[in-house]
Amino acid sequence: MRLSTKKIFFSFLMGSVFTFSSSVCADEYFNRIASFPVNLNLPSDMSQKTETSAEIISASEDGNMVVYSDSPLGAIGMIDITNPGSPAPLGTIKLGGEPTSVSIKKGFAFVGVNTSKDFVSPSGNLAVIDLKSKSIAQSCELGGQPDSVAVSKDGSLIAVAIENERDEDLNDGIIPQAPAGFVSILQVRDGKLNCDTMIKADVSGLSDVAGSDPEPEFVDFNDNNEIVLTMQENNHIVVISEDGKVQSHFSAGSVDLKNVDVDEERALTFDATLSGVVREPDAVQWLDNDRFVIANEGDYKGGSRGFTIFSKSGEVLYESGLDFEYRVAMAGHYPEKRSGNKGAEPEGLEVGKFGDTNYIFVLSERGSVIGVYKDTGGEPEFVQLLPTGLAPEGAIAIPERNLFVASNEKDLIEDGGVRSHVTIYQYGAATPKYPMLTSKLDDNGRPIGWGALSGLVGDAETPGVFYAVNDSFYRSQPQIFKIDATQQPAQIISALPITRDGMPAQKLDMEGVTLDGEGGFFIASEGRNDRLTPHAIYHVNAKGEIEDEIAFPEELLAVQKRFGSEGIAKHGDDLWIAIQREWQDDAKGLVKLVNYNLKSKEWGAVSYPLDGKERGWVGLSEISIFGDHAYILERDNQIGAAAVTKKLYKVALSELKPAKIGSELPIVKKELHKDLLPIMQSYGGYVLDKVEGLGIDKNGEMFIVTDNDGVDDSNGETQFIKLDAMAAM
């Protein structure tokens, strides 16, 4: 079934009439209030470097405890959220296999446990956990490998999707691959399963795609104990009665997408067309007894990048098209490295009623952001985006406590990165705190794509206007972004391409930007020999054309290292460039502030003393000049709970007396202006590592911005934070 009706596609195909406001008819919002790193639940006898993960999540009926499945640990984890702003660890329970899903009812957690030895002999059980005693009370063999688990609203039934997943390395993962999957339905009373009552609902022979090999993915109950089932690889949806009979089934269909990014060329273009993209849905949730919503993640043939509302008889009631993906992109969360596959990759879903409003929560696995939509009974209304940890997998609404909780599965402990988290949000705020920065649609109705912001400068004439540059992650699309910070959230209103001979400039790693006083800019580019990227300063005119390249002098290049220019500021005829870390001739703990005089063309430098470090390294990120001081961002490379140094220092301009490079450099005195760590912690997430940009406008309004690494092993979050105004100082 290919959907192409004008009624459904008009809004996202006709970008010129599509409205991307921060909210639509929403009086109350969700805001993140806490993030819990799940490694805190590790037993005391295990190393904190052990991989953990928070995947599918559920909540106790009083809403004071959340329980998540942790596949790498082979356990479920428990968190006390009695005080939701300060979640506390409650430990883990080992299951003797891989937990795939968890659902809670009446004090018991029902967990699907995969015990398969291989793909051809799948096995698993449904474990019942008594949450009071924190012990396994019972288990039932399921006869196959379980995936999703759902409990009926009245607590009388359990449904388990028995996927019997395919071997992706066999025949390129193409199905059919025996054995076939099915749906298990079990009766339950007071937490006790009656294993003998298990029904194996046969869903084979229904799909046009490998009908002999159904691969059930996700199940959900409505109030009538009807089960909706997605079969992702089969691109099929089935509605089953509580006695296991198929009531209806139909293809999930396909969509046509116009103005979509399909190339992983390190540029955000949104200029291609995809035809007949099969939805291949993952999560599914009932909206009422007659409608449900699916997340179209895709698998090996498709992924339509959005969500769809169906009637249980198979009628498409709403197709989001690129609405969700565009909103992800406009918030800086678009994962460019997934353009050739499934884009923002909506995978998880939750539906919850807060007050009189039924909300749909759409989880972008690769964009690490959650879209919140109001279910109107017709076309959903966009409300807001929520920041998450890395790779949201599951979510649970707790309306009785005005809470929403998401589980984020990715753990980058092996790479020294962020841990897996559970993120908690509270409902009822008058304004959303996130996103802090968005972009608008361009003249062609496509998003102004952005990310990896690495340098910032305030406008010299217009208060509230700033300019930011992206770094080499977007090496095929270097740009200067104009930001209107008088809006809430601040908005990128235009993007100026940086060109050389009329083409996007190559071999740049823009880490700093400052005004030239004539409508153009000076750009500091961080060099890297292994990529043939020189250490240099570039003069760019108001049209974005590189007019001049100022190469670093030989005496500086003779001692170069990879971690070079990280910021640039102009004061009179002097350019000051902050070098991130020690070069070969620097004493430990000292870095250079390099000076270049535009008139005399002479080079010089001073030494800047870094803070000490507990782990990793400490270096500079930015330099800005206002009044009688230079303001310098200093940070470590640590993230989350390991972060220590995220600070803004100031140095009197009278201290900046450059000496000849190669001679003994004077060491400047610095004064702490503001510790940024408490500010960053106040937003309820984990502390981001890369505070990269600092800008001060004409009136002394000061903003900092973080670099989201192009959403590559990053949750995509960009913090654009207003600090104290400097005008009164």
Side-chain angles (χ1 to χ4, degrees), residues 456-459 463-466 485-486 626 694-704 721-728:
L456 189 68
V457 65
D459 191 86
V465 172
F466 293 82
T486 65
F626 184 84
L694 167 70
I696 308 170
D697 74 359
K698 178 182 180 181
N699 289 349
E701 296 285 359
M702 180 181 287
F703 281 80
I704 58 172
I721 302 173
K722 181 179 179 180
L723 303 180
D724 297 334
M726 301 296 299

Side-chain angles (χ1 to χ4, degrees), residues 349-389:
L349 283 172
E350 174 64 331
V351 171
K353 190 172 185 179
F354 291 78
D356 296 327
T357 303
N358 204 34
Y359 290 97
I360 303 169
F361 302 88
V362 185
L363 283 59
S364 168
E365 179 184 12
R366 301 292 177 167
S368 294
V369 71
I370 299 174
V372 184
Y373 291 79
K374 182 188 294 185
D375 175 27
T376 65
E379 180 176 338
E381 294 177 353
F382 175 72
V383 177
Q384 66 180 123
L385 290 175
L386 297 175
T388 76

Side-chain angles (χ1 to χ4, degrees), residues 488-517:
Q488 183 63 31
Q491 187 178 64
I492 293 173
I493 57 177
S494 64
L496 178 68
I498 306 302
T499 61
R500 186 187 279 116
D501 298 327
M503 299 295 291
Q506 299 298 299
K507 300 189 186 323
L508 289 181
D509 187 4
M510 301 189 297
E511 294 288 346
V513 59
T514 193
L515 307 177
D516 71 352

Side-chain angles (χ1 to χ4, degrees), residues 67 75-76 78 93-96 99-114 124-142 146 149-151 155-160 186-198:
V67 178
I76 59 167
M78 299 164 288
I93 300 172
K94 289 279 193 173
L95 297 167
T100 59
S101 184
V102 59
S103 190
I104 295 175
K105 202 72 173 180
K106 298 180 180 179
F108 293 91
F110 300 90
V111 186
V113 183
N114 177 21
N125 63 72
L126 181 65
V128 184
I129 311 296
D130 186 332
L131 295 177
K132 186 175 182 180
S133 65
K134 297 182 181 178
S135 62
I136 300 176
Q138 187 185 5
S139 69
C140 288
E141 289 299 320
L142 294 169
V149 175
V151 184
S156 66
L157 295 171
I158 308 287
V160 185
L186 300 94
Q187 295 181 11
V188 61
R189 179 174 296 179
D190 298 326
K192 293 183 179 180
L193 290 172
N194 188 339
C195 300
D196 294 335
T197 65
M198 186 172 70

Side-chain angles (χ1 to χ4, degrees), residues 317-333:
L317 303 177
Y318 171 76
E319 166 57 47
S320 71
L322 290 172
D323 180 283
F324 180 57
E325 179 137 307
Y326 274 19
R327 296 187 191 278
V328 170
M330 293 162 69
H333 281 262

Side-chain angles (χ1 to χ4, degrees), residues 355-682:
D356 296 327
T357 303
N358 204 34
Y359 290 97
I360 303 169
F361 302 88
V362 185
L363 283 59
S364 168
E365 179 184 12
R366 301 292 177 167
S368 294
V369 71
I370 299 174
V372 184
Y373 291 79
K374 182 188 294 185
D375 175 27
T376 65
E379 180 176 338
E381 294 177 353
F382 175 72
V383 177
Q384 66 180 123
L385 290 175
L386 297 175
T388 76
L390 190 57
E393 176 80 5
I396 186 71
I398 313 175
E400 299 79 9
R401 298 195 62 205
N402 282 331
L403 298 176
F404 173 73
V405 183
S407 49
N408 309 280
E409 68 173 330
K410 198 70 176 285
D411 189 339
L412 297 180
I413 182 61
E414 288 189 3
D415 300 321
V418 69
R419 305 305 301 263
S420 172
H421 278 71
V422 167
T423 312
I424 304 171
Y425 312 84
Q426 194 163 51
Y427 176 71
T431 57
K433 292 183 179 179
Y434 195 85
M436 301 178 188
L437 179 65
T438 64
S439 67
K440 67 175 189 177
L441 295 174
D442 64 18
D443 293 339
N444 296 310
R446 301 189 293 249
I448 298 175
W450 62 277
L453 301 185
S454 55
L456 189 68
V457 65
D459 191 86
E461 302 296 332
T462 308
V465 172
F466 293 82
Y467 302 92
V469 292
N470 56 6
D471 67 22
S472 61
F473 182 88
Y474 299 104
R475 54 179 175 259
S476 298
Q477 195 180 38
Q479 296 183 101
I480 298 176
F481 301 98
K482 186 175 182 180
I483 300 171
D484 179 358
T486 65
Q487 302 186 43
Q488 183 63 31
Q491 187 178 64
I492 293 173
I493 57 177
S494 64
L496 178 68
I498 306 302
T499 61
R500 186 187 279 116
D501 298 327
M503 299 295 291
Q506 299 298 299
K507 300 189 186 323
L508 289 181
D509 187 4
M510 301 189 297
E511 294 288 346
V513 59
T514 193
L515 307 177
D516 71 352
E518 300 175 350
F521 305 88
F522 286 102
I523 303 293
S525 180
E526 182 178 23
R528 186 165 174 177
N529 284 343
D530 61 342
R531 295 180 180 173
L532 302 179
T533 301
H535 295 280
I537 300 166
Y538 295 92
H539 189 199
V540 176
N541 65 23
K543 295 180 180 180
E545 301 165 334
I546 293 178
E547 292 189 335
D548 190 25
E549 177 179 341
I550 306 171
F552 276 21
E554 287 301 323
E555 57 268 34
L556 196 54
L557 293 177
V559 294
Q560 68 177 293
K561 284 190 175 180
R562 169 186 166 189
F563 300 96
S565 304
E566 280 289 319
I568 187 170
K570 184 175 182 291
H571 183 252
D573 293 324
D574 287 317
L575 294 177
W576 285 95
I577 304 99
I579 304 299
Q580 184 181 67
R581 291 168 63 182
E582 300 99 331
W583 279 17
Q584 295 175 30
D585 62 336
D586 291 315
K588 186 177 181 180
L590 292 177
V591 293
K592 292 182 182 71
L593 299 178
V594 173
N595 173 266
Y596 177 74
N597 186 276
L598 292 164
K599 283 192 174 180
S600 69
K601 302 186 186 307
E602 293 178 331
W603 292 85
V606 298
S607 285
Y608 175 97
L610 295 169
D611 280 7
K613 59 186 179 182
E614 293 189 10
R615 65 184 79 180
W617 54 259
V618 173
L620 304 186
S621 282
E622 180 72 285
I623 181 170
S624 293
I625 294 175
F626 184 84
D628 297 328
H629 288 84
Y631 293 86
I632 297 172
L633 278 178
E634 189 173 336
R635 70 170 180 92
D636 57 19
N637 66 333
Q638 301 300 298
I639 193 168
V644 174
T645 303
K646 315 291 180 189
K647 294 179 179 179
L648 177 58
Y649 284 99
K650 64 180 181 179
V651 174
L653 294 183
S654 60
E655 290 276 309
L656 298 180
K657 298 178 179 178
K660 184 178 180 180
I661 294 171
S663 67
E664 184 176 351
L665 303 179
I667 301 174
V668 301
K669 296 177 182 178
K670 66 180 184 180
E671 178 184 348
L672 181 65
H673 180 72
K674 190 171 290 291
D675 187 352
L676 304 176
L677 199 60
I679 298 173
M680 299 176 74
Q681 290 169 333
S682 71

Side-chain angles (χ1 to χ4, degrees), residues 2-4 8-9 12-13 254-262 270-279 296-297 302-308 319-326 334 339 341-344 346:
R2 181 175 298 176
L3 187 66
S4 58
I8 293 173
F9 278 88
F12 77 90
L13 287 178
S254 63
V255 298
D256 299 326
L257 300 174
K258 182 180 179 182
N259 291 335
V260 62
D261 193 343
V262 299
F270 304 101
D271 58 0
T273 297
L274 294 174
S275 300
V277 181
V278 289
R279 294 187 173 100
N296 301 317
E297 178 197 19
S304 60
R305 309 186 181 213
F307 63 98
T308 311
E319 166 57 47
S320 71
L322 290 172
D323 180 283
F324 180 57
E325 179 137 307
Y326 274 19
Y334 182 79
S339 291
N341 197 337
K342 297 175 279 189

